[in-house]
Amino acid sequence: MEKILVLDFGGQYNQLIARRVRELNVYAEIKPYNRVTPEEIQAAGYKGIIFTGGPNSVYDENSPHYDPKVLELGIPILGICYGVQLLAYMSGGEICSANDSSEYGKTVVFTKNSLIFNNVPTKSICWMSHTDYIKTLPKGFSVIAHSDNCPCAAICDETRKIYGVQFHPEVTHTIYGKQMLRNFLFNICLCKGDWKMSDFVEASIEKYRKHLKGKKVLLALSGGVDSSVAAVLLHKSIGDNLICVFVDHGLLRKGESEFVMKTFGEKFGINLICVNAEARFLSKLADVTEPEKKRKIIGEEFIRVFEDKAKELGKIDVLVQGTIYPDIIESGKGESAVIKSHHNVGGLPDSIGFDEIVEPLSELFKDEVREIGMQLGIPKELVWRQPFPGPGLAVRVIGEITKEKLDILREADAIFREEISEAKLESITDQYFAVITDLRSVGVMGDKRTYGYTIALRAVTTDDFMTAAWTRLPYDVLEKASNRITNEVTGVTRVVYDITSKPPATVEWE
Ligand code: XMP
């Protein structure tokens, strides 16, 4: 299988580079620069290497450098942003800091005739984000693009097939960026471009069949997309040697536990153990009202429950995690700055005593994982399901968490989801759910006074969940959901709709 290596020097856009390459039907693997040697690169038979961007300056004391032997392997290289500065520096060029003329954002770039700029106009908009620039060109290189502020916006040594661009071809703001990557892959690396996602699936099944032969493998299945895809993939490789543990913490949506058992246990025949830990979680959560404290208790208890089950199972050789590439980046496990800690990475205890962690999806993005899920025959409603937070309904029960409040919430939430589905509105909202507030109010039913909880409905529209707008749901859908909830769910007198965006609110209420 032909493949490209994306050598990661820590830039925030690096994830996108691999993805763009895969979109062009060439498989791309990302590896942190300090975890692969030139010898390993040569042995792996890569058709090309892309040096990514990164936040450093090549002269910083701790800036990532790379072994210059890589330049002599005869494998084509494309350096991007920090990557091109590093290539120039490694080849004897001089890099300078230009605080007064740093470039950020859309910039007009003038290109010359070069293989990398085939079918790219001589003047086009590119996305720049740099302070340093190449001041003195290394021997053997020539300048093939410039901007008003950057004399070396692109360089190349055509004989050694080494290219570099100061701008970011992987972002859509660089209008001809994809064309440049296409040129690198097909004109310079001479790739065929016949890779498909199904190749990845088949290769992974085969790889883990060999690698995990005879081993006892454990996976914590949450019923979310990532762990589900990892489970089905590994089950195809090693069958019953994969044991999945599903922890029902009593904070799940209506029907969730049954759905997971039915889908994975019955449909796929996966060796699946459901641990009913509702009583354990609810007793730990009794009287707790502070949101962060709830989360902490749930996180810790989850680990304890999983650990207890693992101990019962005897020696475990391998732990599988459904980590995907953005999780690694966001947790600061690659070279990028830490943005937030993610529950998937390193969340499970060493005390279980496994020898190895396997993360079969760690190179992929969410939509790629979904595509694999579809290929593996996982039901569409699971593959395309909305996100559900690890702490479950606990972050949607305001105030003290009780079984009574959870049951009311489960019913109200199920009705709201049914109405969204009935009105076929899944395409206009990315996450939608009910929240049970700690507020009770007076109502009237028949001729009787009632006194019950207020349910808040929340629906948001977003690309990345970092920001979100409240979804403009049609009034008649809201009306029907409200009528049904107050009529069908005992203990609810009032339904409100949350019309706050993120920021200033968050998606979840806690
Ligand atoms: P917030 O509330 O932070 O939510 O705006 C953004 C997205 O993240 C989900 N979320 C979580 N997911 N563990 C998770 O796995 C958590 O602790 C957690 N908290 C929030 C939330 O559902 C939304 O999709």
Side-chain angles (χ1 to χ4, degrees):
M1 179 171 78
E2 61 181 18
K3 57 186 179 180
I4 293 288
L5 172 65
V6 177
L7 203 55
D8 189 345
F9 291 99
Q12 292 290 339
Y13 302 126
N14 297 353
Q15 33 188 317
L16 266 181
I17 301 172
R19 185 202 174 115
R20 295 281 177 253
V21 172
R22 293 199 285 257
E23 280 171 4
L24 291 164
N25 296 104
V26 177
Y27 185 60
E29 267 176 10
I30 310 179
K31 289 202 192 291
Y33 75 97
N34 51 3
R35 292 204 209 141
V36 61
T37 63
E39 290 73 21
E40 286 165 342
I41 292 177
Q42 188 159 42
Y46 292 105
K47 297 280 284 185
I49 308 168
I50 300 180
F51 277 35
T52 74
N56 301 75
S57 174
V58 288
Y59 295 113
D60 286 350
E61 205 177 314
N62 295 320
S63 63
H65 283 195
Y66 201 69
D67 188 336
K69 266 193 254 161
V70 73
L71 304 176
E72 311 307 328
L73 297 178
I75 304 175
I77 302 179
L78 171 65
I80 295 175
C81 197
Y82 177 81
V84 66
Q85 292 163 13
L86 185 61
L87 282 175
Y89 172 81
M90 285 162 72
S91 312
E94 194 189 347
I95 314 301
C96 254
S97 188
N99 279 324
D100 47 346
S101 59
S102 52
E103 289 179 305
Y104 289 97
K106 291 179 183 175
T107 306
V108 178
V109 169
F110 303 89
T111 54
K112 289 189 185 160
N113 204 5
S114 165
L115 276 181
I116 193 101
F117 295 134
N118 255 6
N119 296 319
V120 174
T122 49
K123 180 180 169 189
S124 69
I125 299 288
C126 297
W127 184 260
M128 288 282 194
S129 172
H130 68 111
T131 301
D132 288 4
Y133 70 101
I134 301 166
K135 188 175 174 209
T136 315
L137 212 55
K139 237 171 90 192
F141 280 80
S142 49
V143 175
I144 49 174
H146 72 275
S147 70
D148 284 345
N149 278 332
C150 182
C152 293
I155 61 171
C156 78
D157 174 350
E158 288 206 305
T159 52
R160 288 196 298 169
K161 296 192 172 191
I162 299 175
Y163 293 77
V165 290
Q166 186 54 66
F167 49 84
H168 288 274
E170 70 277 20
V171 304
T172 49
H173 306 296
T174 298
I175 312 288
Y176 290 89
K178 199 155 182 186
Q179 180 59 34
M180 296 171 200
L181 290 174
R182 189 178 284 122
N183 290 335
F184 178 66
L185 298 177
F186 301 117
N187 298 343
I188 297 164
C189 301
L190 307 178
C191 291
K192 290 198 286 289
D194 53 7
W195 177 82
K196 305 179 290 307
M197 200 48 107
S198 55
D199 297 344
F200 175 87
V201 175
E202 278 161 34
S204 301
I205 292 173
E206 210 34 55
K207 174 171 137 191
Y208 293 114
R209 185 171 289 148
K210 284 195 197 125
H211 183 70
L212 300 175
K213 195 164 179 237
K215 294 198 172 150
K216 197 171 187 180
V217 180
L218 187 67
L219 179 146
L221 184 70
S222 71
V225 182
D226 305 339
S227 66
S228 301
V229 170
V232 176
L233 186 74
L234 266 286
H235 180 250
K236 290 210 188 284
S237 292
I238 57 169
D240 277 351
N241 281 351
L242 174 73
I243 307 168
C244 293
V245 173
F246 173 63
V247 175
D248 180 349
H249 47 26
L251 306 163
L252 298 170
R253 286 169 292 194
K254 186 178 177 184
E256 183 75 7
S257 183
E258 296 77 6
F259 175 73
V260 168
M261 291 311 283
K262 209 166 162 190
T263 308
F264 296 96
E266 288 175 28
K267 179 171 160 50
F268 286 104
I270 288 179
N271 200 347
L272 174 59
I273 301 169
C274 176
V275 185
N276 187 339
E278 182 185 35
R280 208 168 145 166
F281 276 87
L282 292 193
S283 86
K284 289 266 174 198
L285 288 167
D287 300 325
V288 179
T289 54
E290 212 267 303
E292 277 309 302
K293 202 163 167 206
K294 287 182 188 170
R295 279 173 182 268
K296 212 159 166 268
I297 290 172
I298 295 164
E300 277 172 17
E301 198 55 18
F302 185 88
I303 290 173
R304 297 287 89 80
V305 171
F306 192 75
E307 201 172 41
D308 289 352
K309 197 73 218 170
K311 280 185 187 141
E312 274 174 37
L313 294 168
K315 171 91 178 82
I316 301 294
D317 301 304
V318 178
L319 184 75
V320 182
Q321 305 221 65
T323 319
I324 64 173
Y325 197 71
D327 300 338
I328 296 180
I329 291 299
E330 286 173 7
S331 300
K333 297 262 160 153
E335 284 296 311
S336 307
V338 176
I339 296 167
K340 68 169 184 186
S341 267
H342 195 280
H343 67 292
N344 270 347
V345 180
L348 289 172
D350 290 347
S351 60
I352 294 175
F354 44 84
D355 301 330
E356 188 187 348
I357 293 186
V358 161
E359 298 175 320
L361 310 175
S362 63
E363 307 261 342
L364 306 175
F365 295 86
K366 195 73 163 195
D367 56 342
E368 294 177 312
V369 172
R370 288 202 162 111
E371 198 181 327
I372 291 177
M374 295 301 288
Q375 300 217 0
L376 289 168
I378 299 176
K380 204 167 145 221
E381 63 271 26
L382 199 158
V383 168
W384 288 100
R385 68 192 345 205
Q386 53 166 322
F388 185 65
L393 297 182
V395 294
R396 299 175 185 171
V397 174
I398 312 307
E400 193 191 351
I401 299 173
T402 62
K403 177 100 168 71
E404 183 211 8
K405 280 163 92 180
L406 280 166
D407 285 341
I408 292 175
L409 175 58
R410 266 189 273 268
E411 292 304 320
D413 183 68
I415 291 172
F416 186 42
R417 286 189 286 136
E418 271 168 36
E419 290 307 322
I420 294 276
S421 164
E422 173 79 20
K424 300 197 170 29
L425 291 174
E426 288 99 336
S427 58
I428 66 158
T429 178
D430 297 290
Q431 198 171 6
Y432 48 98
F433 52 86
V435 172
I436 183 162
T437 71
D438 212 20
L439 175 78
R440 270 183 276 190
S441 65
V442 174
V444 52
M445 261 201 155
D447 288 328
K448 279 213 197 91
R449 176 187 188 274
T450 52
Y451 187 61
Y453 284 105
T454 305
I455 289 285
L457 302 180
R458 177 101 168 116
V460 294
T461 304
T462 173
D463 284 331
D464 56 9
F465 294 92
M466 306 294 273
T467 61
W470 59 276
T471 306
R472 274 56 176 171
L473 289 179
Y475 283 170
D476 53 347
V477 173
L478 288 169
E479 181 181 23
K480 191 156 171 232
S482 164
N483 283 344
R484 280 194 59 200
I485 291 169
T486 43
N487 283 327
E488 295 174 32
V489 187
T490 312
V492 179
T493 43
R494 215 168 277 269
V495 175
V496 297
Y497 187 50
D498 181 351
I499 52 164
T500 332
S501 289
K502 174 183 178 177
T506 51
V507 174
E508 303 290 349
W509 274 38
E510 287 197 343

